[in-house]
Amino acid sequence: MLTSYRLELPALNFGEDGVPRSSAFDDVYFDKDAGLDETRYVFLQHNLLTERFSNLASQQRFTIAETGFGTGLNFLCAWQLFLDTAPQDSWLHFASVEKFPLSKDKLEQSLAMWPSLAAFVKPLIEQYPTLCHGLHTLFFPEQRTTLTLWFGEASEGFTAFNGNVDAWFLDGFAPSKNPEMWSDELFQNIQRLSHQGTTFATFTAAGIVRRGLKAHGFEVQKVKGFGHKREMMIGTFSLEEDTPTIAPSATWFATPKATSVTRVLVVGSGIAGATTAHALANKGIEVDVWEQGEQIACGASGNAQGMLYPKLGASDTPVNRFYLSAYLYANRFYNDLDKNAQLWQQSGLLQLPKNDAEQAKFTKMLDSHLYPESIIKAHANGLELPLSGWVRPQAVCEQLLQHARIHLSLNTKLQSLEKTQAGWLATHSSSSCEYSHVVMCSANELQVLAAWQQWPTKAIRGQVTQLETNKLSPDNQDKVQQVRQVLCGEGYLSPELEGQINFGATYDLGNHSLELCQQSHQENLTKLAALLPINIEQIDLEACKGRVALRCTVTDYTPIIGPVSRHLDLVEKYAPLRQNAKWQSEEQCELIDGLFINVGHGSRGLVSAPLSGFYISNLILNELAALEQGVIEALHPNRFSIRQLKRGEA
């Protein structure tokens, strides 16, 4: 467990020649005169990338993993080569780890000396993540490329990865100057992530690297090094059988193997369905979206204004890592989606303590320095989240679904799903259609999955109140119009939008009515008064408008995201867990081919849905996952069946 998500920046200096040099490792990041040539010789040429990129099949993915991101020079060169040589519908996934990542300005300064890469440097700098420990996904759909960055220890990063790697760039500072990186744990994970035919290339010929690779399934040979370096190493993974992509202790949290993808059905057009469909469509997949309502996002995602509020915890847990990673991804996602700031504004958010216990939690969080100040910083009244803001949820869903590869059908309720030899037969009121994959993003409407597995979700009523500011008293109006950032405590208030304020929301257990009620408006006004010193007695309830929807929540307050299995199969296969909760099995659970679920985002869907939708696309397309392994297990749909077994209840 980490005590801080903050990162140590590299001790860096730039010489007169402009080359960045690490003071800690007394080594340069690249050679000024031959940096590009060295990268192309060592990593591109000796992994045979020109030929392998050229020979990719239609829609094929190619994954490269690297042991030290540094200035990103290797990534940029591989990216350039991929776009020059690979088929137009193939995709590149580049994954790299970095313990001491450069700040955005230092990265830009370092790469300025390579004008031939300027077209690639610009989008990298634009999406370069906030410096924070963990997994960061950068997506460049127009260039058919995903970049996954792990900021932290290399061995921890590769332990977190889930997927298959086709080629390794074993880069980083020289083993003689950085021996800690070349640990046995690192080599174990290189083996775990490799498959028959995976290649590697490395600038070094050091014995620690050669012995580690040979001991973990690679045939290793020395070849002529670049420039003054006499030797370097290359090789191929050659174990008789592919190694599993997840640790044996988590076999009930399996992820699917590669299957043919033709057309995907996404059920639901709220923020979970829209982001899932958009991620798939951006990767070249034809997607049908079925929405049972009369309009897009007619459920909990249909509000006029919502907030980007991650509600981060005071300690390091897999669920907190998920929300932190999702929050940073969502900020980049909305910024990229909405260049003109029409759908969202990064106004910041002020989180006010609801009581003394929460104030103590805030104090502990700040005193522990768990988060970088770019993510959470102290405020006189609570916590300030600079990366937060407000979003137009329904408008975002509408824009996401306006994609040439997305085909939307309203008033279309999924009535049944039938497994066929080719995939799935999905039926609605008027006809049936065939799909290779189905993703259920239908919130509380999961009846068609009941034959396979059921989950502890519940519908929670929420009423949002909307007021026209010109109907407020002058004093109240002045106070409301001074709000420049989202205020959040027992309730929330977003800055004025189009002459109205949106605030709330109620949390009505056991009440599923979709009718507006004045009692809920009164409750929201009370919450508003706790956020802002206004006189709610001067507000006429008849002037309050609003909207009601049912959130989909989960008993453990964590979304359900991943592949679907049969509950009875899990109970039968892992029955020994009833007697011994620490029992392990090497037999992976059977997944229902092509069936996925993405629900339970509750009131935090604007934060969690963009990354969740991208992760579902990873699973369907057999890509390296955008979530670390521990997070995958925390979100996995099988977690409830396994918990029941361990408690002897299943």
Side-chain angles (χ1 to χ4, degrees):
M1 180 181 292
L2 286 176
T3 57
S4 177
Y5 295 121
R6 299 187 179 200
L7 295 167
E8 183 181 349
L9 296 182
L12 191 67
N13 62 76
F14 289 83
E16 294 182 2
D17 58 0
V19 173
R21 174 179 288 273
S22 167
S23 303
F25 297 105
D26 188 28
D27 206 350
V28 294
Y29 279 82
F30 50 69
D31 185 302
K32 176 191 176 185
D33 298 320
L36 296 182
D37 291 338
E38 182 173 20
T39 287
R40 288 164 178 156
Y41 175 82
V42 174
F43 298 113
L44 309 189
Q45 179 178 328
H46 283 93
N47 274 298
L48 306 175
L49 292 189
T50 299
E51 299 91 326
R52 295 169 78 183
F53 287 167
S54 300
N55 292 327
L56 288 174
S58 177
Q59 285 286 335
Q60 190 173 350
R61 269 75 183 152
F62 192 94
T63 301
I64 298 171
E66 176 189 49
T67 53
F69 187 70
T71 65
L73 187 61
N74 294 339
F75 163 63
L76 295 171
C77 289
W79 193 8
Q80 183 182 52
L81 179 66
F82 177 81
L83 293 183
D84 285 345
T85 59
Q88 287 299 310
D89 60 352
S90 56
W91 293 80
L92 175 66
H93 196 147
F94 194 100
S96 188
V97 301
E98 181 57 60
K99 184 178 181 181
F100 305 106
L102 275 65
S103 63
K104 182 179 288 191
D105 61 324
K106 296 297 184 186
L107 182 68
E108 191 169 14
Q109 182 181 353
S110 300
L111 294 172
M113 60 178 12
W114 308 116
S116 64
L117 297 174
F120 300 90
V121 172
K122 184 176 184 292
L124 172 62
I125 296 299
E126 286 177 351
Q127 283 208 43
Y128 193 66
T130 300
L131 295 186
C132 179
H133 180 280
L135 206 58
H136 306 268
T137 297
L138 286 65
F139 185 43
F140 309 95
E142 294 181 2
Q143 294 88 5
R144 313 189 318 276
T145 297
T146 302
L147 172 62
T148 297
L149 291 174
W150 171 269
F151 288 162
E153 291 282 357
S155 57
E156 185 185 4
F158 286 119
T159 299
F161 286 165
N162 182 299
N164 290 298
V165 172
D166 300 302
W168 289 93
F169 290 5
L170 301 184
D171 199 3
F173 295 117
S176 60
K177 299 180 179 181
N178 186 21
E180 291 81 7
M181 188 185 82
W182 305 94
S183 64
D184 187 62
E185 186 179 7
L186 174 65
F187 291 118
Q188 288 175 7
N189 281 299
I190 289 174
Q191 174 180 323
R192 179 179 64 87
L193 295 164
S194 298
H195 59 81
Q196 196 74 17
T198 295
T199 62
F200 83 87
T202 177
F203 67 94
T204 183
I208 184 176
V209 179
R210 175 176 52 81
R211 291 188 296 272
L213 290 167
K214 289 186 71 173
H216 290 87
F218 283 88
E219 295 178 350
V220 180
Q221 66 180 107
K222 293 181 180 180
V223 297
K224 183 183 181 305
F226 179 80
H228 67 276
K229 294 181 180 177
R230 189 164 59 91
E231 293 177 321
M232 56 171 280
M233 290 187 296
I234 62 174
T236 304
F237 192 71
S238 59
L239 286 188
E240 292 183 2
E241 296 183 3
D242 292 351
T243 52
T245 57
I246 64 171
S249 60
T251 51
W252 37 79
F253 297 131
T255 50
K257 297 180 180 178
T259 56
S260 176
V261 184
T262 54
R263 196 176 190 92
V264 178
L265 171 64
V266 172
V267 183
S269 69
I271 192 67
T275 52
T276 300
H278 189 76
L280 288 163
N282 266 344
K283 295 178 180 180
I285 304 302
E286 296 294 324
V287 183
D288 285 359
V289 175
W290 289 6
E291 168 56 59
Q292 68 176 4
E294 296 180 352
Q295 62 183 9
I296 292 171
C298 56
S301 299
N303 293 338
Q305 194 175 20
M307 57 179 175
L308 194 67
Y309 175 40
K311 202 173 184 180
L312 298 172
S315 60
D316 177 36
T317 66
V319 173
N320 197 57
R321 287 192 180 203
F322 166 67
Y323 277 110
L324 176 57
S325 184
Y327 175 50
L328 299 179
Y329 181 86
N331 175 274
R332 297 193 299 275
F333 178 85
Y334 294 122
N335 279 326
D336 187 59
L337 179 71
D338 185 29
K339 302 290 188 185
N340 299 318
Q342 298 299 306
L343 302 177
W344 111 284
Q345 285 191 9
Q346 188 179 319
S347 62
L349 180 147
L350 178 59
Q351 185 176 352
L352 305 170
K354 291 179 281 190
N355 48 46
D356 290 343
E358 191 162 68
Q359 179 60 63
K361 174 185 171 183
F362 289 178
T363 301
K364 176 185 175 183
M365 188 183 298
L366 292 169
D367 290 346
S368 69
H369 303 290
L370 181 62
Y371 299 96
E373 288 195 352
S374 57
I375 297 175
I376 292 181
K377 60 183 180 180
H379 187 279
N381 298 321
L383 299 177
E384 187 172 356
L385 284 71
L387 300 178
S388 292
W390 57 263
V391 183
R392 297 177 186 246
Q394 187 172 40
V396 164
C397 292
E398 289 172 351
Q399 178 154 325
L400 290 172
L401 295 173
Q402 289 176 4
H403 193 292
R405 294 192 183 92
I406 296 176
H407 314 278
L408 174 68
S409 298
L410 299 176
N411 296 304
T412 305
K413 180 178 175 63
L414 175 65
Q415 294 181 331
S416 67
L417 275 177
E418 180 184 344
K419 190 76 180 77
T420 66
Q421 190 171 0
W424 290 94
L425 185 67
T427 302
H428 58 80
S429 57
S430 58
S431 66
S432 298
C433 304
E434 291 192 357
Y435 298 95
S436 62
H437 297 73
V438 176
V439 188
M440 296 296 297
C441 303
S442 47
N444 298 297
E445 302 295 326
L446 298 172
Q447 296 89 336
V448 296
L449 299 184
W452 294 292
Q453 192 170 168
Q454 298 182 57
W455 296 272
T457 62
K458 54 185 177 181
I460 305 292
R461 180 184 185 273
Q463 180 169 317
V464 175
T465 299
Q466 192 175 68
L467 261 176
E468 294 181 22
T469 51
N470 61 12
K471 293 185 178 179
L472 297 171
S473 67
D475 182 52
N476 283 346
Q477 188 175 140
D478 182 59
K479 290 175 181 176
V480 163
Q481 290 177 334
Q482 289 181 29
V483 174
R484 293 289 180 265
Q485 59 185 172
V486 177
L487 302 180
C488 193
E490 191 67 49
Y492 75 90
L493 167 66
S494 294
E496 183 182 19
L497 174 64
E498 297 177 344
Q500 296 179 324
I501 55 170
N502 294 279
F503 58 96
T506 62
Y507 201 85
D508 305 321
L509 286 166
N511 180 359
H512 292 170
S513 171
L514 294 177
E515 298 295 322
L516 286 169
C517 73
Q518 288 195 341
Q519 181 181 346
S520 293
H521 282 320
Q522 186 63 59
E523 184 181 334
N524 285 337
L525 286 170
T526 302
K527 292 179 179 180
L528 176 63
L531 296 170
L532 208 61
I534 65 174
N535 186 352
I536 60 174
E537 299 298 327
Q538 298 177 352
I539 299 175
D540 182 5
L541 277 178
E542 296 298 327
C544 293
K545 301 176 183 178
R547 186 173 182 276
V548 177
L550 301 178
R551 310 175 185 91
C552 179
T553 63
V554 187
T555 53
D556 62 2
Y557 304 103
T558 304
I560 303 169
I561 308 165
V564 176
S565 306
R566 286 184 73 247
H567 173 74
L568 293 178
D569 288 344
L570 292 170
V571 170
E572 181 179 351
K573 184 168 291 186
Y574 302 117
L577 286 170
R578 287 194 182 106
Q579 282 72 45
N580 179 8
K582 295 183 179 180
W583 174 80
Q584 296 182 4
S585 172
E586 294 185 2
E587 190 175 359
Q588 291 195 13
C589 69
E590 293 181 20
L591 302 174
I592 301 172
D593 290 341
L595 185 59
F596 300 85
I597 185 172
N598 181 7
V599 301
H601 296 272
S603 57
R604 288 191 273 179
L606 291 172
V607 173
S608 55
L611 184 59
S612 301
F614 195 88
Y615 169 60
I616 290 290
S617 76
N618 296 151
L619 295 178
I620 290 174
L621 297 170
N622 194 38
E623 299 172 330
L624 199 72
L627 302 177
E628 56 184 289
Q629 181 59 40
V631 171
I632 289 172
E633 296 177 7
L635 305 178
H636 203 289
N638 288 349
R639 68 185 189 264
F640 304 101
S641 296
I642 297 302
R643 287 174 191 168
Q644 287 180 317
L645 279 169
K646 289 182 176 182
R647 293 194 297 256
E649 297 172 0

